[in-house]
Amino acid sequence: MAPQSFLGRFAFLCVCLPWLFGSSLATPTPPKNGTCTKTKVVILGAGMTGIAAAQALYNASVTDFIIVDVNDYIGGRVKHTTFGKNASTSEPYVVELGANWVQGLVSPEGPENPIWTLAKKWGLENTYSNYSMIQTYDQHGAADFAGLLDDYETAYATVEQDAGTILTDNLQDRTMRTGLSIADWKPKKNMQAQAAEWWEFDWEYSYSPDQSSQTFSIINFNDTFYQFSDENNFVIDQRGFNYMIEGEAYTFLTPNDTRLRLSTNVTSITYSSYGVIIGMADGSCIQADYAVCTFSLGVLQNDVVTFDPVLPAWKQASIEGMQMGTYTKIFFQFPPSADGTFFWEHGDDAATQFFLYADPTERGYYPVFQSLNAPDFIPGSGIFFVTVVYAQSYRAEQQSNDATKAEVMEVLRTMFGSDIPDPIDFMYPRWSTEPWAYGSYSNWPPGLSLETHQNLRANLGRLWFAGEATSVGYFGFLQGAYTEGQFVGNTIAGCLGNNKTICKNEASYSKIRGCTTSERQLTANNGWFVSSMQTFGFEE
């Protein structure tokens, strides 16, 4: 990016004091009524982060670890289910409830996304999402406002240049809305423009521009799509997206490995500078030299697990300061017409992948529909799904299936006509109420400094934290979960091997002053591993 000049009245720098975990806390004591299982490292969570951490330990010849997860499968929020029925085989289809895309693949002159590496290694079936294959609709039916997407992207070019200036000149962060308005993108009461903005921004970040940081939204986009590539590949593998995570896990686990404890609910974490004790709902416990907490940000925000001692104020503030978004996919299976096609395939392009709806009064009201019946996806399936985020997700997930189905069908009949058929199957997850997740993925709010985010990453003695939310550049992405897991696993392996170069406490800050990040803070000590100025994978 070639930064443009930015006129700002104030440029504040954070003057922050490092906090070192007190070594005076005693070694945690196991409960008197039982003996804890002992291990070197306990990993809390068998999602992408937990498996990546365990793999890093294994690669460093640390094999004395235990992985614990409340679910009965490996993968965490990379979760699928069966849905509908294949008319030819009478078998159900597999659809993804959580993560669904490999976002950013590889550039000829730069690095490769580790998730793309894994997808290729395990032969995951996936297909390119062509976002130019889109039809637009409003309350009157088909309405051509796709040109607004180009208008948004023109403004976005200015926003990202301004973000580069804000970052390199240590200027105050602001909302993405502010940046867009300065770039003369102001949708206001134009609901078609609101829909275009939702497609371009909310759909990716799970929050609106008003609720998101301009600086870190741009950093987040650049670190994936400019570094790797601007491609998004949709996983349609009928083994499930988590097949690759399971595959990686069983490169170092054996069948029925006692180091993997699924369907195990963690209720308490006691930590110090000397070790940790993990308490489970069934009364059992694990005593370890180190622990890696990969719980979702939503779990940490909802006090699902008890920490002893209570988390320090700076840690609590970082947990509450980051946002946990919800991204809800609502699935329909429809019967074909007499000619074997489906009602959404009768437009100008029968192979259209995406359908954008602008509701006349409510922003983000069932806005983006996607066809899995399209060529190279799951042809013949008749599966059509719509995505909602944030407030619309919360509303839909709190109401009954029948209420949600009726609302979406009303929208579809507005778009495609009143004579479209009723669905033959219907289903959607409720991520915001799932007690082991409480949301889908994280987002960076305006004004949250790099130092505050670093406090989210920071360890507390022998208790370490990792996940997509702790990633500076890849928050919300699966590659964020992977890279943070690898980093923590390697760090703990260094500690166990007495490697003082690797074994270092994470930086943390007991006081955060102001809301501007100094350029000197853009270091690995604060989780800044990738420059957002890299443009290896971007195609003009």
Side-chain angles (χ1 to χ4, degrees), residues 46 56 127 385 448 504 509 516:
T127 190
F385 72 92
L448 186 97
K504 295 180 179 179
Y509 305 90
T516 300

Short mmCIF file of all heavy atoms in Angstrom, two decimals, residues 46 56 127 385 448 504 509 516:
data_model
loop_
_atom_site.label_atom_id
_atom_site.label_comp_id
_atom_site.label_asym_id
_atom_site.label_seq_id
_atom_site.Cartn_x
_atom_site.Cartn_y
_atom_site.Cartn_z
N ALA A 46 -9.63 -29.75 21.65
CA ALA A 46 -9.12 -30.57 20.55
C ALA A 46 -9.51 -30.00 19.20
O ALA A 46 -9.76 -30.74 18.25
CB ALA A 46 -9.61 -32.01 20.69
N ALA A 56 3.11 -29.67 17.66
CA ALA A 56 4.38 -28.97 17.87
C ALA A 56 5.16 -29.62 19.01
O ALA A 56 6.38 -29.78 18.92
CB ALA A 56 4.13 -27.49 18.17
N THR A 127 -13.86 -26.31 -3.64
CA THR A 127 -14.10 -25.66 -4.92
C THR A 127 -14.06 -24.15 -4.75
O THR A 127 -14.35 -23.63 -3.67
CB THR A 127 -15.45 -26.11 -5.53
OG1 THR A 127 -15.55 -25.64 -6.87
CG2 THR A 127 -16.61 -25.59 -4.72
N PHE A 385 -28.62 -22.23 1.24
CA PHE A 385 -28.54 -21.74 2.61
C PHE A 385 -28.33 -20.24 2.65
O PHE A 385 -27.82 -19.63 1.71
CB PHE A 385 -27.48 -22.49 3.43
CG PHE A 385 -26.04 -22.17 3.08
CD1 PHE A 385 -25.35 -21.17 3.75
CD2 PHE A 385 -25.36 -22.92 2.12
CE1 PHE A 385 -24.02 -20.91 3.45
CE2 PHE A 385 -24.04 -22.66 1.82
CZ PHE A 385 -23.36 -21.65 2.48
N LEU A 448 -9.36 -0.91 20.48
CA LEU A 448 -8.64 -1.95 21.22
C LEU A 448 -7.19 -1.93 20.77
O LEU A 448 -6.90 -2.21 19.61
CB LEU A 448 -9.26 -3.32 20.97
CG LEU A 448 -8.64 -4.43 21.83
CD1 LEU A 448 -9.51 -4.67 23.06
CD2 LEU A 448 -8.49 -5.73 21.05
N LYS A 504 10.13 -17.98 26.97
CA LYS A 504 10.00 -16.63 27.51
C LYS A 504 8.53 -16.36 27.82
O LYS A 504 7.65 -16.72 27.03
CB LYS A 504 10.52 -15.59 26.53
CG LYS A 504 12.02 -15.67 26.26
CD LYS A 504 12.45 -14.60 25.28
CE LYS A 504 13.93 -14.65 25.01
NZ LYS A 504 14.37 -13.61 24.04
N TYR A 509 0.67 -6.19 30.01
CA TYR A 509 0.65 -4.79 30.41
C TYR A 509 -0.43 -4.57 31.46
O TYR A 509 -1.61 -4.80 31.20
CB TYR A 509 0.40 -3.90 29.19
CG TYR A 509 1.39 -4.15 28.08
CD1 TYR A 509 1.13 -5.11 27.09
CD2 TYR A 509 2.60 -3.47 28.03
CE1 TYR A 509 2.05 -5.37 26.09
CE2 TYR A 509 3.53 -3.72 27.03
CZ TYR A 509 3.25 -4.67 26.06
OH TYR A 509 4.16 -4.93 25.08
N THR A 516 -3.50 4.37 21.01
CA THR A 516 -2.70 4.32 19.79
C THR A 516 -1.53 3.39 19.99
O THR A 516 -0.91 3.37 21.04
CB THR A 516 -2.18 5.73 19.43
OG1 THR A 516 -3.29 6.59 19.23
CG2 THR A 516 -1.35 5.69 18.15
#
